[in-house]
Amino acid sequence: MSQDANTGRMYAGQPVEDRQRQRRARFLESGLTVFARDGYANSSVGAICKDAGLSSRQFYEEFTGRESLLLELYEQIDKESRDSVTTALDGRTDASALELIDTAVRAYVESIGSDPRKARVALVEVVGAGPKVEKFRLELRRTWGSLLASAAEDAALHGEIPPGDYEMRVLAIIGAVNYVVDAWSGADPRPPLDDVIGVLSRVIMGAVKA
């Protein structure tokens, strides 16, 4: 049934559309848990439904399958991390290139790395999950490349770093950055966050100054 058809309807004293949103959120949360715990390749709709406490019929009312759930999760996690970085950089017009990199890295790591499940799903499980997921992953990677290249170009205008093809440079190190973030997120105990940020900032700075 369409969302419009459900508008205004009540079920157990609650609007039907609210119950649907809550149900979808439960599936997303359980997908995050199951994909991170079992690995996407080894996961099943049954395991996701069991974790969510919902039926497979309800699952297929929301998603076409595991892939569509993974794609929505990935998009959600990526958007949250990009929004965090964009917000952190907003208004930092007087900051140095290194300060901007530190700020961006901290926002990114805290957003995507604080929950090991998010880091595992968005940085590891999406790789090789299928042609559709891989196409989307590369699109998002290019979006990140453009965002970081723009920050580098701003620094170049102030003479802090030499001009160059920053988008290619940052694309070359995104994989390395994500590997470190995933390793840090899943470590027990975790190394100090400031140490991780320091390492990543130096790597990125070295790449854009090369």
Side-chain angles (χ1 to χ4, degrees), residues 34-35 39-46 48 59-60 63-73 129 133:
V34 172
F35 291 155
Y40 176 72
N42 299 318
S43 66
S44 68
V45 170
I48 294 167
F59 177 88
Y60 286 110
F63 304 96
T64 58
R66 290 182 308 129
E67 183 181 65
S68 65
L69 174 59
L70 177 65
L71 283 167
E72 185 165 332
L73 269 175
V133 178

Side-chain angles (χ1 to χ4, degrees), residues 146-168:
S146 296
L147 174 64
L148 297 176
S150 178
E153 287 164 1
D154 288 343
L157 290 175
H158 292 86
E160 295 183 65
I161 57 176
D165 187 351
Y166 301 117
E167 190 161 347
M168 289 299 295

Side-chain angles (χ1 to χ4, degrees), residues 168-184:
M168 289 299 295
R169 296 180 193 182
V170 296
L171 281 175
I173 61 171
I174 285 176
V177 170
N178 285 341
Y179 179 86
V180 172
V181 174
D182 176 57
W184 173 81

Side-chain angles (χ1 to χ4, degrees), residues 35 76 97 117 144:
F35 291 155
Q76 184 181 89
R117 298 175 305 165
W144 275 106

Side-chain angles (χ1 to χ4, degrees), residues 10-11 17 31 33 44 55-56 66 72 78 89 105 110 124-125 133 139 143 149 151 153 166 169 193 201 207:
M10 303 291 287
Y11 182 85
E17 58 267 27
T33 296
S44 68
S55 69
S56 59
R66 290 182 308 129
E72 185 165 332
D78 188 81
L89 292 176
V105 169
E110 288 179 342
V124 178
E125 295 305 322
V133 178
E139 288 174 357
T143 299
E153 287 164 1
Y166 301 117
R169 296 180 193 182
L193 178 57
S201 294

Side-chain angles (χ1 to χ4, degrees), residues 73-92:
L73 269 175
Y74 183 29
E75 184 175 23
Q76 184 181 89
I77 296 168
D78 188 81
K79 184 179 184 304
E80 288 172 356
S81 60
R82 258 188 297 124
D83 286 348
S84 294
V85 171
T86 301
T87 299
L89 292 176
D90 189 41
R92 298 295 306 274

